[in-house]
Amino acid sequence: MLFRSAQAAVTNLFRLLAVAAAMAVAACSSSTSGPCPKVAVLSDLAELVRFRQGAGRDLTDVELQAKFASFAFGCRYDKDAVVVEIDVQIEATRGPAQIANRTTFEYFAAITNPAGEIVAKEPFTADLEFKGNTTKLVVADELAQRIPLIDRNSGSNWSVLLGLQLTDEQRDWMRRQRGR
C-alpha cells in the first residue's frame, strides 16, 4: 500500500514536470520563432585551387584544392537579433606540389542586408594536417552569425553568404576553367 502511494506521488511529480517542461518549450519556441535569413555559398568562391609559386598551372603544380561539400543551417531569435547557426563541411585535397604536411586556407561568412550590401564579414582559417599518405580531409565547422533586427519578420530579407577566400589570380583562374 505504501508502495502504491509513493508510486502515485512519483507519477504526479512526473506529470507536473512534464507540464512544466511543455510550458517552458512553448515559451521558448514562441519567443524564438521567425523566418530564417537565406544562407548560400557564392558560386565564384565555392572552390579553390592553389598552385605553387611560379608560372606552372597544370596538375603537377597544385598544392591544395578545396571546395564546399555541404552545409546545413537553422536560426533562433533573441530579443533584438536572429542568430544563424551553420554547420559547414569543406573538402580539402592535397596536391602533388604540396611538400609540407601542414597548410591552411581561409573562408568567410558575410552578412548582407535587404539591399544586398555586405554589412559584416568574418574570416575563418582552416588548419590542415595531412598525416602520412593522407591526401583528402574534410573540414567541419560550426559557425554562428548574429544579425541585429528591428522587426522579427524581416529575418528572411537578410542573407549569410559563404565563400573561400581567393586571391584575384585564383578567382580569375577558376572563372576561366568554368568557361571552358
Side-chain angles (χ1 to χ4, degrees):
M1 191 60 108
L2 196 57
F3 178 66
R4 284 191 177 168
S5 296
Q7 186 176 15
V10 169
T11 301
N12 287 337
L13 178 61
F14 280 129
R15 284 184 186 145
L16 180 62
L17 288 173
V19 169
M23 288 172 55
V25 168
C28 284
S29 62
S30 65
S31 67
T32 61
S33 63
C36 283
K38 297 172 219 54
V39 177
V41 175
L42 295 166
S43 61
D44 275 359
L45 303 175
E47 293 184 56
L48 158 75
V49 177
R50 187 170 65 210
F51 295 99
R52 67 175 147 205
Q53 289 195 359
R57 293 294 177 261
D58 66 22
L59 182 60
T60 62
D61 298 308
V62 173
E63 289 182 332
L64 179 70
Q65 291 179 287
K67 66 179 180 178
F68 280 90
S70 66
F71 71 90
F73 70 96
C75 67
R76 60 183 164 78
Y77 281 78
D78 58 27
K79 281 184 184 178
D80 57 356
V82 59
V83 178
V84 183
E85 297 166 334
I86 309 164
D87 293 326
V88 63
Q89 291 191 341
I90 303 170
E91 293 177 359
T93 304
R94 178 182 185 169
Q98 180 65 38
I99 296 169
N101 288 342
R102 293 179 183 261
T103 191
T104 63
F105 67 88
E106 290 187 352
Y107 58 103
F108 65 87
I111 298 171
T112 62
N113 64 17
E117 303 162 326
I118 295 175
V119 296
K121 181 179 175 185
E122 185 175 3
F124 302 96
T125 300
D127 295 309
L128 305 174
E129 182 178 5
F130 293 97
K131 294 181 181 180
N133 292 331
T134 302
T135 59
K136 291 190 181 212
L137 297 173
V138 174
V139 176
D141 207 351
E142 296 175 358
L143 314 177
Q145 300 297 303
R146 188 173 188 278
I147 303 171
L149 296 176
I150 295 171
D151 177 11
R152 282 184 167 273
N153 295 319
S154 68
S156 63
N157 297 329
W158 292 74
S159 297
V160 179
L161 303 176
L162 305 171
L164 295 166
Q165 191 65 55
L166 306 182
T167 65
D168 290 340
E169 180 186 348
Q170 290 167 336
R171 189 185 63 243
D172 292 344
W173 187 87
M174 291 300 297
R175 284 180 180 163
R176 285 192 304 275
Q177 295 308 303
R178 275 190 229 106
R180 288 184 173 184

